[in-house]
Amino acid sequence: MKAGERLGSLDAFRGATIAGMLLVNNPGSWSDIYPPLAHAPWHGWTPTDMIFPFFLWIVGVAMTLSFARRVEQGADRGQLFRHVIIRATIIFGLGIFLAAFPFGLLPEHHFSLSKLRIPGVLQRIALCYLAAGAIFLSSGWRGQVAWTLGLLAGYWALLRFVPVPGYGAGGLDPTGNLAAWIDSHVLAGHTWSGAPVPGFDPEGILSTLPAIGTTLLGALAGQMMRRWSGGALSARLLGGGAALLALGALLSLALPINKNLWTSSYAVFMAGWAMAVLAIFHWLIDVRGWRRWATPLVIYGMNALALFVLAGLVAKLLHLIKWTGPDGQGLTLKTFIYQGCFVPLATPVNASLLFAGVCVLLFLGIAWVMWRRKWFLKI
């Protein structure tokens, strides 16, 4: 493909990932969800566990294509790296903003810098983009392959062979693994309260290393997309995806697929899924020209960052806006809407899914307005 060409399939894939994120993050009740819409408790994976690595993989693909376009426009490596630093800083700052919002300004929100969560989804995206961008700009594709292998193999070796005080080496349970030990000591008080064990964070320090590998695997796929086009590209993406899926499954025999730990097998396996899904999107949209069905996804994908941030703000407000109900019990805005409008319509699990589906449609409406008015948040 040409450096300046924009792939509708990549926008649609990004939009599908955003829509999936909205679906799994906004059930009416966390007690009533279908198993595929929940993360695997520890080892193993579900469709929900595909969403975050897809984001990072897409970042790698988009980075490769964007840098090629900027080079054609006259940018040098120094300018590109300055852009990477600025963009990563802004994305990281947005993640911290979401973690701190609404800064204790609502009665139900208790804000404290000493307990503010530092890791997070946007923070990991920022760090992975920064590291992968630096590697991409300072090496060719062979160097990027070497970095990817080094990060994934090195992370496996750290988990397997570095002893954890009180547990020994090689532990992969929630409390005895090296990643959890590092998070609980370095980020004490600043980790996610909903993690499998206190002190651990699924977006923590050590597990960011293989997540950078996920981003680099996307960048390498982007190199393929610069070289080939049409049906040949679709076939190569599908073949590469199948190979990574097989390799990830093989690696899982030594290091289980685990999203919380972002194991090396998980990074490879999910990159395989991303590659295979993009291959299908590319063949349908860019090769066959069947674009109309994907228009809602493209609309989502054109403002992915804005929708992510907005969804995070709305979700917090729905939980924090609260009052006393007629029975004297506290009632959140989300509970009021869910119990009044959705619970009477279906069984608990389907009412919960219906609530999530309506959230997806409401944000699609917002994305459509932004798209029609050509409001695109670009960093």
Side-chain angles (χ1 to χ4, degrees):
M1 62 172 287
K2 298 178 181 178
E5 182 182 354
R6 190 176 186 101
L7 288 176
S9 56
L10 187 60
D11 286 327
F13 184 30
R14 186 188 294 110
T17 306
I18 280 285
M21 181 271 292
L22 290 169
L23 185 69
V24 303
N25 282 359
N26 294 284
S29 169
W30 288 103
S31 301
D32 299 303
I33 54 176
Y34 285 101
L37 301 181
H39 289 291
W42 194 244
H43 294 324
W45 65 281
T46 72
T48 298
D49 294 315
M50 302 167 74
I51 293 172
F52 194 4
F54 279 17
F55 274 127
L56 287 178
W57 189 85
I58 291 168
V59 166
V61 173
M63 177 179 67
T64 302
L65 303 182
S66 172
F67 285 178
R69 182 176 65 251
R70 288 172 178 268
V71 168
E72 281 200 346
Q73 295 171 349
D76 59 30
R77 291 180 185 271
Q79 291 173 318
L80 290 174
F81 188 56
R82 284 192 293 273
H83 173 75
V84 168
I85 293 173
I86 293 170
R87 190 164 188 252
T89 302
I90 293 173
I91 294 172
F92 193 94
L94 287 172
I96 296 295
F97 173 81
L98 280 178
F101 181 83
F103 308 98
L105 297 178
L106 289 176
E108 295 298 321
H109 187 248
H110 304 289
F111 175 70
S112 171
L113 286 175
S114 64
K115 296 183 179 179
L116 178 67
R117 185 190 180 199
I118 295 176
V121 171
L122 289 181
Q123 294 92 314
R124 171 160 285 184
I125 290 174
L127 293 174
C128 290
Y129 175 65
L130 178 63
I135 293 168
F136 183 90
L137 291 172
S138 60
S139 62
W141 71 267
R142 289 184 179 85
Q144 293 157 32
V145 170
W147 268 102
T148 304
L149 292 174
L151 287 165
L152 297 180
Y155 181 63
W156 169 79
L158 289 171
L159 289 181
R160 280 300 191 189
F161 300 116
V162 174
V164 177
Y167 296 95
L172 296 176
D173 60 283
T175 57
N177 66 82
L178 182 63
W181 186 86
I182 291 175
D183 289 344
S184 64
H185 285 75
V186 179
L187 297 173
H190 297 282
T191 55
W192 183 41
S193 60
V197 293
F200 173 69
D201 199 295
E203 281 77 57
I205 296 172
L206 191 63
S207 60
T208 298
L209 296 178
I212 296 169
T214 299
T215 312
L216 286 172
L217 286 168
L220 289 167
Q223 301 272 26
M224 292 176 56
M225 296 171 70
R226 289 186 59 205
R227 184 171 180 180
W228 288 287
S229 61
L233 174 58
S234 300
R236 282 172 170 80
L237 287 172
L238 188 61
L244 288 177
L245 283 168
L247 178 59
L250 182 63
L251 291 173
S252 71
L253 300 177
L255 190 62
I257 291 172
N258 186 306
K259 189 264 180 190
N260 283 290
L261 289 174
W262 209 286
T263 52
S264 303
S265 58
Y266 172 78
V268 172
F269 192 72
M270 291 303 166
W273 271 119
M275 214 166 179
V277 173
L278 182 60
I280 296 170
F281 274 49
H282 181 263
W283 187 81
L284 291 174
I285 298 170
D286 296 313
V287 177
R288 300 296 298 175
W290 298 335
R291 300 177 181 273
R292 183 171 297 179
W293 69 273
T295 299
L297 301 180
V298 172
I299 291 172
Y300 260 131
M302 295 291 284
N303 258 314
L305 181 59
L307 291 171
F308 186 98
V309 174
L310 181 60
L313 296 177
V314 170
K316 276 204 163 186
L317 290 175
L318 286 175
H319 283 91
L320 292 173
I321 297 176
K322 189 174 182 179
W323 62 91
T324 302
D327 58 357
Q329 299 296 317
L331 186 67
T332 66
L333 179 57
K334 178 182 178 180
T335 301
F336 175 76
I337 295 171
Y338 176 59
Q339 291 184 347
C341 301
F342 294 89
V343 170
L345 299 178
T347 61
V349 69
N350 286 321
S352 184
L353 178 61
L354 181 60
F355 182 92
V358 169
C359 286
V360 172
L361 294 176
L362 286 175
F363 279 102
L364 176 60
I366 295 171
W368 181 82
V369 171
M370 297 174 72
W371 179 70
R372 285 297 300 267
R373 294 180 178 272
K374 300 188 184 302
W375 293 344
F376 302 116
L377 178 61
K378 296 186 180 297
I379 301 174

